[in-house]
Amino acid sequence: MELLTTTIKSIGSQAHMFEEENMLILFGDNAPGDLKDFCYIIDVKPLASEIETGMTLSIDNQAYTITAVGDVVTKNLSDLGHITIKFDGKTAADLPGTLHVQGAAFPVIEAGATLTIS
């Protein structure tokens, strides 16, 4: 069951800086001006239910298993489109707004990519 399907509408000019740290920041259109350059901007959509470990995050054809979910990830993603995704496979969330995933490599992301959580 898909909880969320959204589109990465644009990519901030500095968003790629976080690739070295194996993380990316999502935000909706309402991203504050000083943060927008560091974010992947998505269409904000309500989630069907809570995000849980074991689910899958997909960015186009790249799939990642969700290993940890911060306490406010589902709410922030539904309300603001704002979460941090870390590609480190940790089983406990570093911060309340962080989603941790396990996968082979950091995704190649371009504007127009589809992001799905199922």
Side-chain angles (χ1 to χ4, degrees):
M1 175 179 93
E2 285 188 6
L3 296 184
L4 172 71
T5 299
T6 189
T7 302
I8 296 175
K9 297 167 57 173
S10 63
I11 300 171
S13 62
Q14 303 298 313
H16 298 289
M17 287 179 50
F18 295 109
E19 286 183 26
E20 291 178 8
E21 298 177 40
N22 285 324
M23 65 181 263
L24 62 86
I25 301 169
L26 299 180
F27 224 120
D29 287 324
N30 60 346
D34 54 343
L35 291 180
K36 204 167 200 165
D37 284 342
F38 299 94
C39 299
Y40 292 80
I41 304 301
I42 63 169
D43 279 325
V44 178
K45 296 183 177 182
L47 275 71
S49 63
E50 292 289 316
I51 299 170
E52 298 176 4
T53 59
M55 291 181 169
T56 301
L57 166 78
S58 298
I59 301 172
D60 281 343
N61 295 323
Q62 303 159 97
Y64 303 87
T65 301
I66 296 171
T67 58
V69 183
D71 294 341
V72 297
V73 165
T74 301
K75 180 176 178 10
N76 285 359
L77 192 55
S78 285
D79 295 349
L80 306 169
H82 177 52
I83 62 169
T84 299
I85 301 172
K86 285 191 152 187
F87 297 83
D88 60 7
K90 284 189 177 180
T91 57
D94 288 340
L95 297 168
T98 302
L99 182 74
H100 295 265
V101 299
Q102 181 71 51
F106 193 86
V108 175
I109 306 172
E110 297 183 13
T114 300
L115 184 143
T116 305
I117 296 176
S118 56

